Amino acid sequence: MERYVLMTHSKLKLCLLAGAFLAGPLLPFSSLATAQTEGAPDSDASETLEPIIVTGLRPVPLEDVTGSLSVLSAEDLAIRNSFYLADHLRAVPGLGVSRSGGPGNLTQIRMRGAEANHTLFLVDGIDVSDPTTGETDFGLWGGLDAARIEVLRGEHSVLHGSNAIGGVINVVSDTSADLRAGFELGTQDTWRAEARGGI
């Protein structure tokens, strides 16, 4: 009987040693899990984090913009006092304006050496470029009553697509509620009249 008990104790020792040998490498992980559980906040307690504001397409102050941005204000537009939008854009650095013939003919704008179809043209944030060619004939844009013109040079295709590789031109319309009218006479029996109103 004693011999049987001694053999049982030996087998038990052997099993305990084997278990300790196998469980040894797992001990650091179990202590790490215990430490993390002890340091974790109570599941019932709520923690309020500071809100994260993503700018996206929201208005940003001019001094906070890191891109190459030019803004033609209403005063700048009044100084040039041109009927055609392309004539105002000649004052912006980095823009090349090419016109085929006289006023009203095909007029293209290239920004920083990119092609004309890589300049995105927006009116109040709406894309008005030709859907077929992707470019804009600025010779057609005459008499547009603009409050200001924003020109963003450089690649902005991440926000606006492949048409904005050269840059973006955004015209903000004048929403003032007033009435205006004008009439001009020129050579070769040319004339131009316009009337504007807003409510």
Side-chain angles (χ1 to χ4, degrees), residues 102-103 184-192:
E184 294 180 3
L185 289 173
T187 59
Q188 308 295 326
D189 295 328
T190 58
W191 60 276
R192 180 171 66 85

Short mmCIF file of all heavy atoms in Angstrom, two decimals, residues 102-103 184-192:
data_model
loop_
_atom_site.label_atom_id
_atom_site.label_comp_id
_atom_site.label_asym_id
_atom_site.label_seq_id
_atom_site.Cartn_x
_atom_site.Cartn_y
_atom_site.Cartn_z
N GLY A 102 -11.66 88.80 -80.59
CA GLY A 102 -12.14 89.89 -79.76
C GLY A 102 -12.97 89.40 -78.58
O GLY A 102 -13.11 88.20 -78.35
N PRO A 103 -13.51 90.35 -77.81
CA PRO A 103 -14.34 90.00 -76.66
C PRO A 103 -15.53 89.14 -77.07
O PRO A 103 -16.15 89.36 -78.10
CB PRO A 103 -14.79 91.35 -76.12
CG PRO A 103 -13.77 92.32 -76.61
CD PRO A 103 -13.33 91.80 -77.95
N GLU A 184 -24.46 101.02 -73.06
CA GLU A 184 -23.21 101.43 -73.66
C GLU A 184 -23.34 101.42 -75.18
O GLU A 184 -24.02 100.55 -75.75
CB GLU A 184 -22.07 100.49 -73.25
CG GLU A 184 -21.71 100.54 -71.77
CD GLU A 184 -20.58 99.59 -71.43
OE1 GLU A 184 -20.03 98.96 -72.36
OE2 GLU A 184 -20.23 99.48 -70.24
N LEU A 185 -22.66 102.38 -75.82
CA LEU A 185 -22.59 102.44 -77.28
C LEU A 185 -21.13 102.33 -77.69
O LEU A 185 -20.24 102.85 -76.99
CB LEU A 185 -23.17 103.76 -77.80
CG LEU A 185 -24.69 103.93 -77.70
CD1 LEU A 185 -25.08 105.35 -78.09
CD2 LEU A 185 -25.41 102.92 -78.58
N GLY A 186 -20.87 101.66 -78.82
CA GLY A 186 -19.51 101.50 -79.30
C GLY A 186 -19.41 101.70 -80.79
O GLY A 186 -20.38 102.07 -81.46
N THR A 187 -18.23 101.45 -81.30
CA THR A 187 -18.02 101.59 -82.74
C THR A 187 -18.68 100.43 -83.49
O THR A 187 -19.09 99.43 -82.88
CB THR A 187 -16.51 101.63 -83.05
OG1 THR A 187 -15.93 100.42 -82.57
CG2 THR A 187 -15.86 102.83 -82.37
N GLN A 188 -18.74 100.54 -84.82
CA GLN A 188 -19.33 99.51 -85.67
C GLN A 188 -20.78 99.20 -85.26
O GLN A 188 -21.22 98.05 -85.36
CB GLN A 188 -18.49 98.23 -85.62
CG GLN A 188 -17.01 98.40 -85.89
CD GLN A 188 -16.73 98.88 -87.31
OE1 GLN A 188 -17.44 98.53 -88.24
NE2 GLN A 188 -15.71 99.70 -87.45
N ASP A 189 -21.47 100.24 -84.82
CA ASP A 189 -22.88 100.11 -84.42
C ASP A 189 -23.09 99.04 -83.35
O ASP A 189 -24.08 98.30 -83.35
CB ASP A 189 -23.76 99.77 -85.64
CG ASP A 189 -23.77 100.89 -86.66
OD1 ASP A 189 -23.67 102.07 -86.24
OD2 ASP A 189 -23.88 100.60 -87.86
N THR A 190 -22.17 98.96 -82.42
CA THR A 190 -22.32 98.00 -81.31
C THR A 190 -22.91 98.72 -80.10
O THR A 190 -22.68 99.92 -79.89
CB THR A 190 -20.97 97.38 -80.93
OG1 THR A 190 -20.05 98.43 -80.58
CG2 THR A 190 -20.40 96.58 -82.09
N TRP A 191 -23.65 97.99 -79.34
CA TRP A 191 -24.23 98.54 -78.12
C TRP A 191 -24.47 97.40 -77.13
O TRP A 191 -24.50 96.23 -77.49
CB TRP A 191 -25.54 99.28 -78.39
CG TRP A 191 -26.59 98.39 -79.02
CD1 TRP A 191 -26.75 98.09 -80.33
CD2 TRP A 191 -27.61 97.68 -78.32
NE1 TRP A 191 -27.79 97.23 -80.52
CE2 TRP A 191 -28.36 96.96 -79.29
CE3 TRP A 191 -27.99 97.59 -76.98
CZ2 TRP A 191 -29.44 96.17 -78.95
CZ3 TRP A 191 -29.07 96.80 -76.65
CH2 TRP A 191 -29.79 96.10 -77.62
N ARG A 192 -24.61 97.77 -75.90
CA ARG A 192 -24.86 96.79 -74.84
C ARG A 192 -25.71 97.43 -73.77
O ARG A 192 -25.49 98.57 -73.36
CB ARG A 192 -23.54 96.31 -74.22
CG ARG A 192 -23.70 95.31 -73.11
CD ARG A 192 -22.37 94.71 -72.69
NE ARG A 192 -21.51 95.70 -72.08
CZ ARG A 192 -21.55 96.03 -70.78
NH1 ARG A 192 -22.40 95.43 -69.97
NH2 ARG A 192 -20.71 96.93 -70.30
#
